[in-house]
């Protein structure tokens, strides 16, 4: 399958940097049923595991404290339930982890932990499967400029028709500043969480969910810091999107529900705490849609909120406190309801 390349130049530059210490290399190839592989390495290391068969499990631990340039690559193609675990220890900067779980296997699980790292990158791909679960954790409290990508379902286009890949769960947790997170889920009944828990600035998070005639996906994004940007795009019906941005200046949130053929009965909520925030919510864009709900709450100065809803029976609720706020609500159709509150309660 075609792999995504992280867009952060600083992440990839550090991930490709040469090791500062002795280097170990491990290659494991398995074909068959019920296989398992465990690789443990110290120093600056390279590990490759390829498994073709049923019920495979792979575990990679790279404990190169103070090193640069660990790399782990796990490819699993099977009809069973695969498990992949990658741990790159604290102090290992510029590491790279790649997990691919392909084929028709269901109930796959993949987890990547990159602790106390600077400039590390992680990619997890799960395709053509039901009930996949993917978790990425980066930072350990001191992480800078890390990048994480999780793709579950169709990788050729966001929102396209997908065979399988329903009921997926994705979690990205990043501690530190200036991190990048992307979650792409093509299918039905998806759940995506991104938590960027850094006290610095300029973190970026993006979630894209949905399939034509799909429904019931949930996206939750939280940022703790200044100047973060969140983009959530959901195609199809009955989706929920929630964005929380705390303790920051200049946060921006964009939520788009129904970006291909319109959507019905979606719910969106944005909460921003800080100064100079910007919030934009669009629901059931380009026809379709009824009984959508949108809420934008901003606490701080000079905030701006836009809510656009098409269709009938929509509800918009905007609450802005303190000074200099601006709110614009646009609704098409009949039976809509708008409530705007501005000023200190």
């Amino acid at each position: 399958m075609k792999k995504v390349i992280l867009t952060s130049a600083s992440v990839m530059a550090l991930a490709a940097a040469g090791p500062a210490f002795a280097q170990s290399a491990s290659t494991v190839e398995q074909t068959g049923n019920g296989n398992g592989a465990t690789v443990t390495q110290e120093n600056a290391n390279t590990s490759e595991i390829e498994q073709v068969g049923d019920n495979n499990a792979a575990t990679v631990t790279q404990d190169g404290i103070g090193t640069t340039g660990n790399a782990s690559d796990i490819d699993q193609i099977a009809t069973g339930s695969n498990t992949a675990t990658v741990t790159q220890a604290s102090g290992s900067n510029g590491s790279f982890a790649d997990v691919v779980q392909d084929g028709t296997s269901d109930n796959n699980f993949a987890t990547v932990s990159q602790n106390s790292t600077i400039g590390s990158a992680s990619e997890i791909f799960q395709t053509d499967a039901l009930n996949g679960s993917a978790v990425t954790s980066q930072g350990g409290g001191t992480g800078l400029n890390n990048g994480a990508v999780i793709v579950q379902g169709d990788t050729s286009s966001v929102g396209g028709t997908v065979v399988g890949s329903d009921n997926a769960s994705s979690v990205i947790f990043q501690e530190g500043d200036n991190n990048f997170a992307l979650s792409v889920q093509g299918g039905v009944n998806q759940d995506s969480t991104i938590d960027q828990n850094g006290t610095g600035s300029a973190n970026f998070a993006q979630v894209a969910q949905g399939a034509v005639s799909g429904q019931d996906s949930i996206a939750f994004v939280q940022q703790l810091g200044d100047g973060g940007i969140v983009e959530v795009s959901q195609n199809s019906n009955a989706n929920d999107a929630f964005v929380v941005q705390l303790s920051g200046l200049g946060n921006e949130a964009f939520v788009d529900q129904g970006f291909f053929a319109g959507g019905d009965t979606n719910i969106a909520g944005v909460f921003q705490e800080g100064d100079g925030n910007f919030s934009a919510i669009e629901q059931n864009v380009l026809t379709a849609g009824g009984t959508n709900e949108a809420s934008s709450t901003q606490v701080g100065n000079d905030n701006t909120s836009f809510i656009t809803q098409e269709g009938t029976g929509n509800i918009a609720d905007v609450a802005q406190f303190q000074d200099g706020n601006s709110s614009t609500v646009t609704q098409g159709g009949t039976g809509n309801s708008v409530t705007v509150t501005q000023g200190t309660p």
Side-chain angles (χ1 to χ4, degrees):
M1 64 180 291
K2 184 177 180 180
K3 298 180 181 179
V4 173
I5 299 177
L6 297 176
T7 59
S8 172
S10 60
V11 169
M12 297 311 297
L14 285 170
F21 297 88
Q23 186 174 22
S24 300
S26 172
T27 300
V28 177
E29 296 182 0
Q30 294 176 316
T31 302
N33 301 320
N35 297 315
T38 300
V39 175
T40 302
Q41 296 173 312
E42 296 182 359
N43 302 316
N45 310 293
T46 300
S47 172
E48 295 185 11
I49 297 176
E50 181 176 347
Q51 296 173 318
V52 180
D54 299 328
N55 302 314
N56 294 315
T59 300
V60 175
T61 303
Q62 295 174 320
D63 288 327
I65 304 298
T67 65
T68 300
N70 285 318
S72 173
D73 187 354
I74 298 176
D75 291 333
Q76 294 174 320
I77 303 175
T79 57
S81 300
N82 295 312
T83 300
T85 302
V86 178
T87 302
Q88 292 170 323
S90 60
S92 177
N93 299 326
S95 295
F96 179 76
D98 179 67
V99 176
V100 177
Q101 294 173 323
D102 207 348
T104 58
S105 55
D106 297 336
N107 303 306
N108 290 324
F109 178 78
T111 180
V112 174
S113 298
Q114 295 172 316
N115 302 313
S116 296
T117 56
I118 298 175
S120 291
S122 170
E123 299 177 341
I124 297 175
F125 299 88
Q126 295 173 324
T127 65
D128 299 332
L130 297 172
N131 309 317
S133 178
V135 178
T136 297
S137 177
Q138 294 175 315
T142 60
L144 296 170
N145 300 314
N146 294 314
V149 172
I150 295 177
V151 178
Q152 295 169 310
D154 185 4
T155 60
S156 62
S157 64
V158 175
T161 301
V162 178
V163 178
S165 302
D166 296 337
N167 308 319
S169 174
S170 166
V171 176
I172 297 175
F173 177 75
Q174 295 173 315
E175 287 188 287
D177 305 330
N178 303 311
N179 294 317
F180 169 86
L182 171 63
S183 174
V184 179
Q185 295 175 316
V188 176
N189 194 29
Q190 313 286 12
D191 189 337
S192 177
T193 298
I194 297 177
D195 188 353
Q196 293 176 318
N197 187 16
T199 58
S201 61
N203 291 318
F204 178 81
Q206 183 176 21
V207 177
Q209 294 175 314
V212 176
S213 300
Q215 61 183 6
D216 296 330
S217 292
I218 300 174
F220 176 78
V221 179
Q222 177 173 279
Q223 292 179 322
L224 176 63
D226 304 331
I229 298 176
V230 174
E231 296 181 1
V232 177
S233 299
Q234 294 175 315
N235 187 47
S236 63
N237 307 318
N239 298 312
D240 295 340
F242 302 101
V243 176
V244 177
Q245 294 174 312
L246 301 174
S247 303
L249 298 170
N251 293 316
E252 298 182 5
F254 303 85
V255 178
D256 187 350
Q257 294 177 313
F259 59 90
F260 272 162
D264 300 328
T265 322
N266 295 312
I267 297 175
V270 175
F271 179 86
Q272 295 171 314
E273 181 184 44
D275 302 326
N277 297 315
F278 177 89
S279 173
I281 300 174
E282 293 185 318
Q283 292 181 314
N284 57 293
V285 177
L286 301 178
T287 71
T291 321
N292 293 316
E293 297 183 12
S295 175
S296 176
T297 302
Q298 296 171 317
V299 180
N301 301 317
D302 303 317
N303 298 314
T304 300
S305 173
F306 290 92
I307 296 178
T308 302
Q309 296 172 314
E310 299 174 357
T312 60
N314 298 316
I315 299 173
D317 184 340
V318 178
Q320 296 172 314
F321 306 124
Q322 299 182 18
D323 302 326
N325 300 311
S326 174
S327 173
T328 301
V329 177
T330 303
Q331 294 176 316
T334 60
N336 298 313
S337 175
V338 179
T339 301
V340 178
T341 302
Q342 293 176 313
T344 302

